[in-house]
Amino acid sequence: MNQETPKKATNFRWSICGLLFIATTINYLDRQVLSLTWKDYIQPEFHWNNNDYGNITALFSIFYAVSMLFAGKFVDWMDTKKGFLWAIFIWSIGAVLHAFCGIATSGIITGNWFVGFEESKEIISNINDVSLVISTSVTLFIFARFVLAVGEAGNFPAAIKATAEYFPKKDRALSTSIFNAGATVGALAAPLTIPFIAKAMGWEMAFIIIGGLGFVWMGLWIFYYKKPEAHPKVNAEELAYIQQDIEDSVVNATTGVDTKFTLKQCFKYRQTWAFIFGKFMTDGVWWFYLFWTPAYLSSVYGMDSTESAIPLVVLYVITLLSIIGGWLPRYFVDSKGMNPYAGRMRAMLIFAFFPLLALLAQPGGEISYWIPVLIIGVAGAAHQAWSANIFSTVGDMFPKRAIATITGIGGMAGGIGSFIINKSSGVLFDYSHKTWTTVDGVPFLEKFPQFVNERLPEGFFAELEKSGAVVVDGIDKGYMIIFSVCAVAYLIAWAVMKSLVPTYKVIKN
């Protein structure tokens, strides 16, 4: 009697994971263009200081935070395919808009709208009212960041929803860590490409070229994505593997109706508040490293954007170790017999200890800039491993119909935390730059009291050094304070999360 040989399951789900990885890479490339161009190109053109840049990055964070609250609901309403398409379309438009802020500044102030990039630079350089140039350009960049934030807010809710559709619970941390590694790869590719595009073609073209990548991805998503049960490339064996968590695929045991979670309902659960607090405490740390590390290497070690390319590449190569974030909880589940939540929390506690190394970053920088670079890389890897698992806790405990909404709520909390750290950093760095700097052993503001309430002229410290003065910049003390906050954030977050949800509890209502 002939027995039919069991069919081997296809692995198309990993192709979807690959598309999510590419989208996240593009997301972080678009986010990084400003941080890699503002010190060398945008600051001299528009006369910005750290506080101006801090305001822009902080407001981006708050725009992102508010948008995340609605992005999750939007993705749940539009569903994964359309929701993701709208998100990447909007953020690609926002990325490209940055390139035209110089022309718009020229047009608003002087009425010269129909000019090229180089002509707008010349017009702006001849404007005597520097404060008007600053306020106008900052406002325009804030608007571009607003559009970017609204679109980018949809990336993670849509990606987490797609992951829940295509992967069983035990594989979600691994698949999430893989697509989440796109954040690292985007951050890694950024210093290898953006400064050199800006140097060769102008900072405006860096925004246009990187922003255009999103439109290419849209074509791939339209062509490849369907629900697993409707996709011709997913066979019955792979579908059975994907849908092995029967309790999660049940809609409503009583009515059989797939009811929607309202925002009000979501806030009733301790699991939601645990996710909110974890994101609030830790997202800002990653965004600080992402937005401020190029400025740190410039301010403390005097590197321009091309000189800092290799240290930044090394830093982000180290963060690729975050792939362990997907393997470790699976080890605890498969080898130690833990439930998914317990295994994930055990792994997250281990990851939470590594950022403590940031306490040594600034002191170690006295020996070599490579020490803070390596430490930030390890801390970044720990964050990404933590991030993959905190996202997966949502899929562990909430039904699929609520995942994007809960992810959006947590993203909002993370954005608020990021707003606080970015705004505080800009203010602190300008304060420490003036207040804790010494000139020939004398506090800077004692020697130059006229700058207590005034902006420092561009290159003022460099001119003092050329005149023979010994300048010891105090900005490194500001960085030490922020590094210390970043170091302890994860352990505090873990302790509160564990107290809110001490044991695994699935929400089925």
Side-chain angles (χ1 to χ4, degrees):
M1 190 173 177
N2 293 329
Q3 288 189 335
E4 190 176 335
T5 305
K7 277 188 178 182
K8 186 178 179 181
T10 52
N11 287 300
F12 184 75
R13 61 192 181 280
W14 295 107
S15 298
I16 296 299
C17 187
L19 280 177
L20 302 178
F21 168 85
I22 294 170
T24 306
T25 300
I26 295 170
N27 184 292
Y28 272 79
L29 274 170
D30 285 330
R31 203 175 292 188
Q32 278 287 82
V33 180
L34 182 60
S35 67
L36 288 165
T37 55
W38 85 275
K39 268 287 187 180
D40 291 344
Y41 303 101
I42 297 173
Q43 181 187 41
E45 184 173 336
F46 300 114
H47 314 289
W48 294 357
N49 61 16
N50 285 309
N51 192 37
D52 296 320
Y53 175 68
N55 285 335
I56 293 169
T57 56
L59 285 170
F60 171 82
S61 301
I62 206 70
F63 296 148
Y64 185 85
V66 175
S67 299
M68 280 290 277
L69 182 62
F70 299 102
K73 289 298 290 181
F74 178 79
V75 171
D76 278 335
W77 174 58
M78 291 291 290
D79 213 6
T80 313
K81 185 168 189 172
K82 290 181 181 177
F84 220 148
L85 282 173
W86 272 108
I88 201 162
F89 174 75
I90 292 169
W91 96 53
S92 298
I93 292 291
V96 173
L97 278 177
H98 289 73
F100 297 93
C101 288
I103 292 174
T105 300
S106 165
I108 290 169
I109 297 175
T110 69
N112 291 298
W113 289 92
F114 300 103
V115 295
F117 295 135
E118 293 304 316
E119 193 177 350
S120 69
K121 287 183 177 67
E122 186 177 344
I123 292 169
I124 291 168
S125 68
N126 291 321
I127 298 172
N128 294 323
D129 191 343
V130 171
S131 62
L132 183 60
V133 172
I134 294 168
S135 62
T136 304
S137 61
V138 166
T139 301
L140 289 168
F141 271 89
I142 286 171
F143 175 74
R145 297 308 270 184
F146 167 74
V147 179
L148 182 70
V150 169
E152 288 201 341
N155 182 72
F156 279 98
I160 295 296
K161 189 175 178 70
T163 300
E165 291 171 350
Y166 266 89
F167 291 88
K169 285 182 180 179
K170 69 176 185 177
D171 289 346
R172 286 178 196 165
L174 178 60
S175 56
T176 301
S177 68
I178 290 171
F179 87 68
N180 198 41
T184 299
V185 172
L188 173 64
L192 287 174
T193 54
I194 292 165
F196 300 97
I197 295 172
K199 188 172 184 178
M201 306 170 69
W203 63 265
E204 298 91 347
M205 288 306 298
F207 282 104
I208 291 171
I209 292 171
I210 301 300
L213 295 176
F215 299 112
V216 177
W217 184 90
M218 289 174 66
L220 294 173
W221 189 247
I222 290 169
F223 180 74
Y224 273 102
Y225 184 83
K226 290 183 179 69
K227 298 283 186 185
E229 58 271 19
H231 209 298
K233 293 185 179 293
V234 177
N235 67 9
E237 289 73 19
E238 183 178 15
L239 186 62
Y241 181 82
I242 290 169
Q243 296 180 342
Q244 64 184 264
D245 302 308
I246 298 172
E247 77 280 358
D248 194 50
S249 62
V250 174
V251 286
N252 185 301
T254 306
T255 65
V257 178
D258 185 10
T259 55
K260 298 292 184 182
F261 265 58
T262 65
L263 284 174
K264 185 177 179 181
Q265 281 178 298
C266 292
F267 285 108
K268 292 193 307 183
Y269 299 105
R270 293 167 70 91
Q271 290 91 331
T272 305
W273 288 103
F275 184 60
I276 285 172
F277 190 82
K279 294 288 284 178
F280 172 79
M281 287 297 296
T282 60
D283 272 18
V285 176
W286 172 249
W287 285 34
F288 168 75
Y289 290 145
L290 196 70
F291 289 151
W292 286 99
T293 299
Y296 169 66
L297 295 175
S298 174
S299 298
V300 178
Y301 302 104
M303 299 182 188
D304 65 25
S305 58
T306 53
E307 291 170 333
S308 65
I310 297 301
L312 288 172
V313 167
V314 171
L315 187 159
Y316 290 119
V317 165
I318 295 170
T319 64
L320 288 172
L321 293 171
S322 64
I323 198 73
I324 296 170
W327 170 82
L328 191 57
R330 188 174 183 179
Y331 166 78
F332 287 135
V333 172
D334 290 344
S335 300
K336 301 296 182 181
M338 293 182 174
N339 63 59
Y341 179 74
R344 225 175 291 294
M345 290 300 287
R346 173 77 61 85
M348 288 169 69
L349 178 60
I350 294 170
F351 302 141
F353 279 100
F354 285 96
L356 292 174
L357 289 170
L359 293 169
L360 304 175
Q362 190 52 43
E366 299 293 328
I367 301 169
S368 168
Y369 67 81
W370 281 109
I371 293 177
V373 165
L374 296 175
I375 286 174
I376 294 170
V378 171
H383 171 84
Q384 291 297 78
W386 166 282
S387 181
N389 282 280
I390 196 172
F391 274 128
S392 296
T393 60
V394 179
D396 289 340
M397 294 185 288
F398 286 90
K400 290 179 183 178
R401 64 187 183 277
I403 286 173
T405 301
I406 300 294
T407 303
I409 292 170
M412 179 194 70
I416 292 171
S418 301
F419 169 83
I420 293 170
I421 197 169
N422 278 299
K423 176 59 181 171
S424 301
S425 296
V427 173
L428 177 61
F429 297 154
D430 273 347
Y431 176 84
S432 60
H433 192 45
K434 290 201 296 187
T435 306
W436 295 330
T437 294
T438 61
V439 180
D440 295 328
V442 179
F444 174 75
L445 291 179
E446 283 186 23
K447 204 170 183 71
F448 300 96
Q450 65 270 31
F451 293 118
V452 170
N453 296 312
E454 290 184 15
R455 284 175 176 260
L456 287 175
E458 290 172 38
F460 187 75
F461 286 175
E463 291 300 319
L464 286 176
E465 289 177 328
K466 284 180 183 177
S467 70
V470 178
V471 179
V472 179
D473 200 333
I475 198 169
D476 58 339
K477 297 179 178 64
Y479 277 100
M480 181 65 206
I481 293 170
I482 301 296
F483 284 146
S484 300
V485 173
C486 295
V488 300
Y490 296 85
L491 284 172
I492 295 171
W494 188 92
V496 173
M497 290 178 69
K498 187 66 173 173
S499 67
L500 285 170
V501 187
T503 58
Y504 183 44
K505 186 176 180 182
V506 177
I507 295 167
K508 297 182 180 179
N509 294 333

